[in-house]
């Protein structure tokens, strides 16, 4: 099992990112604890030095399995489903601008809250139509690069759009692109899926990336999810990608990261 952890290249508001701030020092620590990769949260690729990122990551023997984009929503309000055509276009352009960076790292592009929330006065149906259109446009731009998009079902308290694997697979069907699949996150699944393992099985080869946090969004082992069963199911469907830690930095970032990897590794120790 290849393990990574989310690392933001800039200070971020989103609370479930364990590491923010000094990039190189954080990458060194993450590699030191035995992680195989870092999932980068990048608001705007034009603000990062891709060569420097690549140099630091490879100097520490890590890879980048996925790039998170949600800060463009969190900090700038960009959204695929805004009622403002300018905002929708800006969101699409921003996501397209991630493609060369993702191609360089062979990373998936994560589509979380960039999908937005249905604004007052707009129907859910209209939001879904905007979403499908935006996703088709992004998927087409990336098709020749080999870059894949992973849309994350999010729990009902964060958005009205795509809560479950079933919702996500319906969207996959409508978008109709080979490079468009889902990112499953155990925190959201624990809220929305009747049986987490069944939903993983249903998703099958459309699981493009995987986030782990326990039921309380602390590190795995701090809540009541059955990670052995969940991760066994993931292996059983043939998933060979990364299992990426995205949890609250509690009791502090370093402790949460160390406890997470220790817990997940010991599940498979014997
Ligand atoms: C991002 O991966 C995530 O899980 C969301 O909760 C962000 O809002
Ligand atoms: Mn997540």
């Amino acid at each position: 099992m290849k393990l990574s952890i989310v690392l933001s290249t800039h200070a971020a508001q989103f609370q479930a990112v364990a590491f923010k701030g000094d990039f190189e020092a954080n990458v060194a620590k993450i590699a030191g604890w035995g992680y195989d990769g870092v999932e980068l949260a990048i608001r705007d690729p034009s603000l990062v030095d891709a060569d420097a990122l690549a140099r630091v990551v490879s100097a520490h023997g890590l890879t980048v399995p996925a790039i998170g984009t949600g800060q463009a929503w969190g900090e700038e309000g960009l959204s695929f489903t805004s009622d403002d055509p300018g905002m929708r276009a800006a969101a699409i352009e921003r996501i397209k601008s991630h493609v060369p960076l993702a191609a360089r790292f062979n990373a998936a592009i994560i589509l979380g809250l960039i999908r937005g929330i249905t604004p007052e006065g707009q129907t859910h149906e209209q939001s879904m139509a905007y979403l499908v259109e935006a996703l088709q446009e992004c998927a087409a731009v990336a098709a020749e690069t080999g870059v894949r998009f992973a849309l994350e079902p999010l729990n009902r308290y964060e958005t009205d759009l795509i809560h479950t694997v079933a919702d996500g697979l319906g969207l996959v069907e409508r978008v109709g692109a080979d490079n468009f699949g889902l990112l499953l996150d155990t925190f959201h699944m624990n809220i929305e899926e009747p049986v987490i393992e069944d939903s993983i099985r249903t998703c099958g080869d459309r699981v493009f990336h995987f986030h782990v946090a326990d039921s309380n969004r602390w590190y795995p082992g701090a809540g009541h999810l059955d990670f052995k069963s969940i991760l066994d199911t993931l292996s059983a469907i043939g998933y060979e990608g990364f299992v990426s830690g995205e949890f609250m930095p509690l009791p502090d970032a370093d402790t949460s990261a160390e406890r997470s990897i220790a817990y997940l590794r010991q599940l498979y120790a014997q």
Side-chain angles (χ1 to χ4, degrees):
M1 184 175 38
K2 293 180 291 186
L3 295 178
S4 56
I5 189 162
V6 179
L7 173 62
S8 178
T9 55
H10 289 86
Q13 306 293 333
F14 177 44
Q15 287 183 321
V17 176
F19 293 96
K20 306 167 188 172
D22 186 344
F23 184 72
E24 177 138 32
N26 284 327
V27 168
K29 282 197 288 191
I30 288 165
W33 291 319
Y35 283 92
D36 310 293
V38 270
E39 175 185 317
L40 299 179
I42 298 179
R43 176 168 69 77
D44 181 348
S46 74
L47 302 177
V48 302
D49 177 343
D51 292 335
L53 287 186
R55 190 172 29 76
V56 169
V57 167
S58 66
H60 292 279
L62 299 182
T63 54
V64 178
I67 296 174
T69 61
Q71 291 171 14
W73 156 264
E75 321 260 326
E76 297 171 72
L78 301 188
S79 150
F80 285 157
T81 58
S82 170
D83 51 8
D84 174 348
M87 280 299 212
R88 292 199 302 275
I92 293 169
E93 283 318 304
R94 178 63 58 80
I95 293 304
K96 286 182 185 169
S97 79
H98 278 274
V99 172
L101 188 66
R104 174 174 188 157
F105 286 110
N106 196 21
I109 298 174
I110 296 173
L111 302 173
L113 270 175
I114 194 79
R115 68 165 144 308
I117 301 172
T118 299
E120 229 180 286
Q122 180 169 293
T123 63
H124 188 268
E125 197 185 354
Q126 178 65 72
S127 296
M128 289 301 291
Y130 286 148
L131 183 57
V132 169
E133 207 179 302
L135 293 169
Q136 285 174 333
E137 192 173 331
C138 292
V141 162
E144 275 153 36
T145 65
V147 169
R148 305 199 302 171
F149 291 95
L151 184 124
E152 183 174 24
L154 298 172
N155 74 73
R156 67 192 70 184
Y157 306 109
E158 295 197 27
T159 179
D160 62 312
L161 302 165
I162 315 295
H163 297 150
T164 62
V165 168
D167 294 342
L169 290 175
L171 186 63
V172 164
E173 183 93 23
R174 282 180 71 177
V175 172
D178 290 343
N179 62 341
F180 179 68
L182 302 183
L183 154 57
L184 307 189
D185 180 326
T186 56
F187 173 70
H188 300 295
M189 295 184 94
N190 182 54
I191 296 170
E192 299 294 349
E193 306 295 336
V195 180
I196 292 177
E197 291 83 346
D198 288 351
S199 299
I200 292 172
R201 278 188 282 268
T202 311
C203 200
D205 63 4
R206 287 294 169 145
V207 181
F208 282 8
H209 192 52
F210 202 81
H211 279 167
V212 282
D214 218 317
S215 49
N216 45 9
R217 220 173 201 182
W218 282 52
Y219 56 84
H224 60 248
L225 289 186
D226 183 347
F227 279 100
K228 180 79 169 69
S229 170
I230 291 169
L231 297 175
D232 281 351
T233 307
L234 204 51
S235 307
I237 62 159
Y239 179 76
E240 290 181 344
F242 273 74
V243 168
S244 204
E246 183 194 53
F247 39 75
M248 312 282 286
L250 293 170
D252 59 77
D254 291 10
T255 306
S256 64
E258 284 190 270
R259 287 190 186 164
S260 177
I261 194 167
Y263 181 77
L264 295 173
R265 291 277 186 236
Q266 64 80 31
L267 289 178
Y268 292 92
Q270 308 83 10

